Each structure stands twice: as structure tokens, then as C-alpha cells.
Amino acid sequence: MKLAGAALNQTPLDWENNLSNIKKAIEQANEQQVDILCLPEMTIPGYGCEDLFLSEWVAEECFQHLLQIKEWCQGVIVCVGLPVRVNGILYNTACVINDRKIVGFTAKQFLANDGVHYEPRWFSSWPANTVQDFEMLGQTYQIGDIIYEHQGVKFAFEICEDAWRNENRPAYRHKPKGVQLIINPSASHFAMSKTDVRYHLVVDASKQFECTYLYVNLLGNEAGKMIYDGEILIAQNGNVVLRNQLLSFKDVDFECAEVSFDNPLPLVDVTPLPPVDENIEFISAITVALLDYLRKSKSKGFVLSLSGGADSSLCAVAVAEMVTRALAEIGLEEFVRKTQCLTTEELQQFKQLSGIALRNALVGKLLITAYQGTENSSDDTFRSAEELAKSIGAVFYNWTIDQEVIGYRGKIEKAIGRPLTWEQDDLTLQNIQARVRAPGIWMLANLSNSLLLATSNRSEASVGYATMDGDTAGSISPIAGVDKSFVRQWLIWAQLNLGYEGLQYVNNLQPTAELRPLERAQTDEKDLMPYPLLNQIERLAFYDRLSPQQVFEKLKGTYPDDQLKQYVQRFYSLWSRNQWKRERYAPSFHLDDYNVDPRSWLRFPILSGGFREELSELK
């Protein structure tokens, strides 16, 4: 039997795009004479519709499109995901279509309700071992925990979260019923190193349940924040039959393989994956996410305030690497079709270029940067910004904002009747510099209909080390999901492994906001604490969910007790005080196994007691 999976780059409620991708996958299945094709979870509307799932018309519209899709399924079984409402209750389902006939709907039994997922807000769980009839548009269909059969082979489903429920997963009930093929349509979000866990979830299951397992995930940046790696896995009795390349720039990644049920592969021990390189995973994910965000928002490019520091440098390199990777996989014409960055005449000219020359020419069309210096900026950061922009082909502007700062300072000094000084007004004088940088860079974004890239990272977001309406200004905050230590080591890795020699300047600098006078030698870590420690406290506090006292005890011995206590108190105090900032950050990508975005992974009250009692009792 020939099995296939198609990872699709869908968009919530983009019916034209979603149906086009579905049709292409079915056409490829017919060309390859596939017996069973699996498409991802919620294929028709897109997984990320969120509260639109509460609107009854959405499920109705999906069913109308399902009737359209079934007519394309001649001579093939296709599994397609959509919401189905039965007796006023909404279910997350996979519909099985066989040769243009709807056979049934399998409903998801376990709903994801942790981290970035809120499925029970929209859907209800289906009880195991239950099947019932329902009517829709004058026809009667079956829905529930259905066992299907094709060519004498019994098959059934686990839908995404179903497979993550250990001994409660449906596969335990499928095996005694003689199921030989388990199909899993998923919308499993990307996180660094997660693919290894998912690999074992699928391949180990094929051995444990002595079956063939077909797994298909969504692909790309579907709705803005979550990224899907498009993984397709076929395994049998612990053997990997097929595994695709993850994080593709394609709209449809179709993969198929022959599997024998008469003479199955022997049971074997599962071969582990090689160690995951998170540096490669990170850049693979963020580049796909940036390109999808660019085209789905119908923007013309990116604008970046390039300070010469680590965060803005990473954002610049991410855009350049987006171009490099997309060209390598989908070619110039498809890249231009997706980005609309060249006219027909320009495309003909660009076809004469290749390699770095082509990459830089395209970056020049897509990325505008500006260095906005003050009297507190150093020659080192200017050189870092200029050389990096030059090395990747980005447009580079350079201006100073001292006159704007002087103007605002003078107005306020006149209003309050006294001069502002660094001794008395340190924070105010820092923030005005950051805020004055926002209007000019926003103007460039408006002029070019581009996305303004905000440059905050997760470490800064945790402690509010950012100026609201200053360096946080932006349309999108692509690296807010990773910590500062990761950013710094990744830039070194990128210089050595990806050939970005323009990073040599920033890689020799100590992170600094450059908002205080140069003689004060401001650095981030002097203002806060060492970044590796900040990241440890953050993870223990909110990923492991420990109390301040437990965090202190876990970290004892890494620093003198008095100093460690001061750092722990500083982290929790800054965290609590700055929740309002995290509420206002530009949308960011989920890249790690957790984030501090209150609209996805971590919710925290804007107003709270700020751990006062807990911090006073540290010992």
C-alpha cells in the first residue's frame, strides 16, 4: 500500500490558499497512485483560527468546502481536518474521504490545554469507543472513535495531542481491535529540540503497537506566532520508512512511500536521531517564519534600527539567511512570486546574478537599516552596524538624534523649572534617547510599506530592560522568544558556520544599551546581573514554577549568598513591575520550549503583590 503525507502551509480563513494547497496535494497523490493521503490537523480552516472557532458559520463554511474537496478525491483515500458541530457541540475532527465519498469523521479525544494551547476553549473531547450518527445538509454521517478498513487493512487515528497522553493514548485501544495503521494529522508547534521527542513518540509507537504509523504536521508560520515544522514520518515496527526535511519554504511538501502489510518489516530497536543542533533549528525556523509573516501580511520588506549590538545584528542576519535558504530550496522565481519584491524587468536582471551577489541584491530590496547615534554612541557600534549592513547588502542610513533629544529635554526643563541631571534623572534621560529613535524608523517603515523589526530578546522582556515606545517599537519582534545568552553564542556560531564575516565586530563587543554617557561604561550585565544567571532564574521561576526560596536554594553555591539573594530579589521585582510591558510587546515567534508572551505561553497579573513577602523571607 502506498501511503502519503502532505505538510501544508495554511493560513486561518484563507479559503483560496488553503483549498489550493489541498488540491495540489491530492493531485500529487493521484499522480503517484497513492492509496491513503493524510493532510494536517484543521487543514481546511487553518489550526490558528482561535476564537473564530466559536462562530457557528466557520464550521458551516468548512463543511461546504469539504463537499467541494471530496469531489477531487477520485481513486484515493484522503484524510482532511476540520471542525464539526454536532448537537451544538464543536469537535476537532479528521474526515476520511474514499473515492469521493465521506466515510466518517474521527473526533479528537484529548485537547491540548497547556503552554501555547487553549483547545478546550473552542472544542469538546470525544469519548473513547463511542460512535454516533449525525445529520448535516440532509445527509447522515458517522462521527467518533471509528475503525476504518481499506484493502483488508484496519486503520484508525490519533489526532495530535491524542498521541502525547502516555497510557491513555488511543493507540492502546486500537491495538486489541486489530488496527494495523495509525494515522496522526497534527498541528504540533515548533520548539527547539522538540522534534526528537516527537520522533520517538511516533517511531516508538510503531514498535510498541506493532503497527505502521503515518504522521503529518502543519508547515510554516500559520497565523503569526506559532511555527510548524512540516514533519512527515512513516514508521513500521520501529523502522523509519520515511522522514522528510523539516521547515520547508514550500507551500506543499508531499512525501510518499510503499509499505507492505502482508510482509511487514521486522520489529527492531528504534534508532535514535543524531544530536539536535539548536543553532541550525533556530535559523531554519525563524527564516521560514519571517518569509511567511512578510508575505501573509502583504508587506514589502523589513526595516530595522541597526544599533550594532547583538540583537539587531541577529535580526539583520536572519533576513539575509531567509533569502539564502529560500533561494536554495525554491529558487529565484518562486521566491519573487512569494515576496513580490521585484518587477518583471528586475527579475530578468537578477537572473544574471548568483551566489552572494544575488543574495545581497535581494536583501537590498527587502531590508532597510538605520544607525541612529547620539553623543553616547561609540565608534565601535557604528562600525559594527555599517560593516554588517554592507556585508549582507542591506540599505544603510546613518543619522544622529541629539537635536531631538535636546529639544525634548529643553521643553521639560523649562516646564519643571530645573535642569535634568544624570545623578537625579538617570532613567528619564536614558528613555528619551530610545523613544526619540522610534518616529524616524517608523517613517521608513511607512514609506516602504514594510515591517518594522523590534529587537528585544526574552531576557530583556523578563526584567523589562527595554524602553516602551522606544526599542520595543515594531510590527514584529522576531527574537523575543530566545534569551540573550543564546543570541550571543548564535552570532559567534553564525560567523564561523554560515560565513557572516560582518559579525566579527559585534562578536567582540560587550552588550550595552549606550544610553548613558560613555565615561560611565554602561553594560547590560552591570545594570541587571550576568545573563546566564538571569536565564537560570527565569527558567526555574516560570518553566519549573519554583518559588523564590526554591530558586535561591537551587542556585546556592553559584554566587556568594548575599549577592545571589540580591540577584533573585532583583529578578522577581523587575519581573512583577514590568508585566505591563510584556503585554505590549510586538508579536513574537515561539521558538524555545517556553516563552514569556502573556498572549501565548505565560500569563501573569499586571498588578500583583510583587512577591514582597516571599522575597523578604529569602534565607
Side-chain angles (χ1 to χ4, degrees), residues 8 32 59 103 112 125 259 313 327 441 484 584:
L8 308 182
Q32 296 293 324
V103 181
S125 298
V259 174
S313 295
L327 285 176
I441 205 72
K484 186 73 168 194
R584 291 187 56 210

Side-chain angles (χ1 to χ4, degrees), residues 400-414:
T400 61
I401 57 165
D402 289 319
Q403 289 305 310
E404 289 85 349
V405 172
I406 290 168
Y408 277 110
R409 184 171 179 171
K411 282 185 177 69
I412 298 303
E413 287 177 336
K414 182 178 179 181

Side-chain angles (χ1 to χ4, degrees), residues 355-594:
I356 290 177
L358 176 58
R359 193 266 325 261
N360 284 12
L362 286 168
V363 171
K365 287 287 186 179
L366 289 169
L367 178 61
I368 298 169
T369 66
Y371 182 84
Q372 305 186 79
T374 70
E375 61 184 7
N376 301 321
S377 303
S378 67
D379 292 339
D380 290 336
T381 54
F382 171 72
R383 186 184 184 199
S384 172
E386 183 181 40
E387 292 297 328
L388 177 59
K390 188 189 303 180
S391 73
I392 63 174
V395 175
F396 180 74
Y397 298 118
N398 167 37
W399 60 71
T400 61
I401 57 165
D402 289 319
Q403 289 305 310
E404 289 85 349
V405 172
I406 290 168
Y408 277 110
R409 184 171 179 171
K411 282 185 177 69
I412 298 303
E413 287 177 336
K414 182 178 179 181
I416 65 174
R418 69 169 180 85
L420 299 177
T421 67
W422 284 102
E423 289 70 28
Q424 189 175 349
D425 309 296
D426 178 273
L427 194 59
T428 301
L429 291 174
Q430 288 192 68
N431 283 346
I432 188 57
Q433 295 169 73
R435 289 197 176 103
V436 161
R437 290 186 168 108
I441 205 72
W442 267 123
M443 285 182 74
L444 287 181
N446 291 159
L447 284 167
S448 56
N449 191 25
S450 295
L451 294 165
L452 178 57
L453 298 176
T455 60
S456 295
N457 59 67
R458 191 178 72 211
S459 304
E460 293 171 351
S462 287
V463 292
Y465 194 66
T467 301
M468 195 50 58
D469 305 314
D471 51 314
T472 59
S475 319
I476 180 175
S477 193
I479 64 168
V482 291
D483 63 70
K484 186 73 168 194
S485 294
F486 181 86
V487 169
R488 293 175 70 183
Q489 69 81 31
W490 189 87
L491 289 171
I492 295 169
W493 176 87
Q495 181 187 341
L496 297 174
N497 292 276
L498 300 180
Y500 286 96
E501 285 303 314
L503 292 173
Q504 61 183 295
Y505 306 99
V506 71
N507 284 335
N508 287 314
L509 296 176
Q510 185 70 12
T512 172
E514 286 197 331
L515 296 174
R516 291 195 183 102
L518 290 172
E519 63 270 15
R520 295 184 179 230
Q522 180 181 23
T523 69
D524 293 2
E525 294 187 323
K526 196 186 295 184
D527 284 351
L528 299 169
M529 65 189 76
Y531 274 119
L533 176 63
L534 189 159
N535 300 331
Q536 282 182 288
I537 296 173
E538 175 196 86
R539 188 174 187 88
L540 290 169
F542 297 112
Y543 184 81
D544 296 333
R545 307 192 191 282
L546 302 184
S547 70
Q549 180 63 39
Q550 290 171 319
V551 171
F552 180 65
E553 289 169 0
K554 278 272 188 185
L555 295 173
K556 268 196 170 186
T558 57
Y559 290 86
D561 279 5
D562 287 347
Q563 188 178 24
L564 179 61
K565 185 184 295 185
Q566 183 183 15
Y567 286 148
V568 171
Q569 290 171 333
R570 182 178 298 168
F571 175 86
Y572 277 97
S573 298
L574 289 172
W575 169 275
S576 305
R577 191 186 308 158
N578 288 290
Q579 179 64 21
W580 70 277
K581 289 187 180 181
R582 290 186 292 275
E583 298 281 348
R584 291 187 56 210
Y585 267 65
S588 60
F589 304 143
H590 182 82
L591 294 161
D592 209 345
D593 53 0
Y594 73 102

Side-chain angles (χ1 to χ4, degrees), residues 35-46:
D35 292 290
I36 299 178
L37 167 66
C38 178
L39 304 177
E41 184 177 9
M42 284 290 142
T43 328
I44 295 176

